[in-house]
Amino acid sequence: MQVKIITPDKTAFEGEAQAITFPGNSGEFEVLDQHAAMISLLKKGHMRLKAGGKDQNFSIDGGVVEVLNNKVVVLVESIEDVQQGVEA
């Protein structure tokens, strides 16, 4: 599935992914390839992205995610790569 992660000032990630786990307002949830259409609010927490055979962990400050036609758009206030300890 195509994934795009956007902050107010940049695109933090754009590319193919196999799965993404989000910190939803009602609990953690995972989006996989061919997921049903949805929109959800995100709370502050950790987001895990499986892309290119590796896992990437990010810390986000909340936002919103839209899943439609095998495309995932994530809008977050800020995002930090947990492994590297720097803003993505």
Side-chain angles (χ1 to χ4, degrees):
M1 66 188 155
Q2 272 299 116
V3 177
K4 190 169 189 177
I5 303 172
I6 305 167
T7 70
D9 59 344
K10 66 184 172 209
T11 298
F13 177 88
E14 188 169 7
E16 290 285 325
Q18 290 75 47
I20 311 172
T21 304
F22 294 103
N25 275 356
S26 299
E28 188 176 271
F29 65 95
E30 185 173 48
V31 172
L32 301 171
D33 194 42
Q34 300 298 327
H35 196 283
M38 65 174 279
I39 294 175
S40 178
L41 291 174
L42 303 175
K43 65 180 184 177
K44 184 176 183 173
H46 292 301
M47 180 176 72
R48 291 185 304 279
L49 175 70
K50 295 179 184 180
K54 63 180 182 173
D55 290 349
Q56 297 178 9
N57 293 297
F58 299 98
S59 178
I60 63 170
D61 276 339
V64 65
V65 59
E66 177 193 49
V67 180
L68 183 62
N69 297 325
N70 215 35
K71 293 180 184 172
V72 180
V73 178
V74 185
L75 305 172
V76 293
E77 192 63 35
S78 68
I79 186 168
E80 183 178 316
D81 188 328
V82 174
Q83 290 98 339
Q84 298 176 7
V86 296
E87 281 194 25

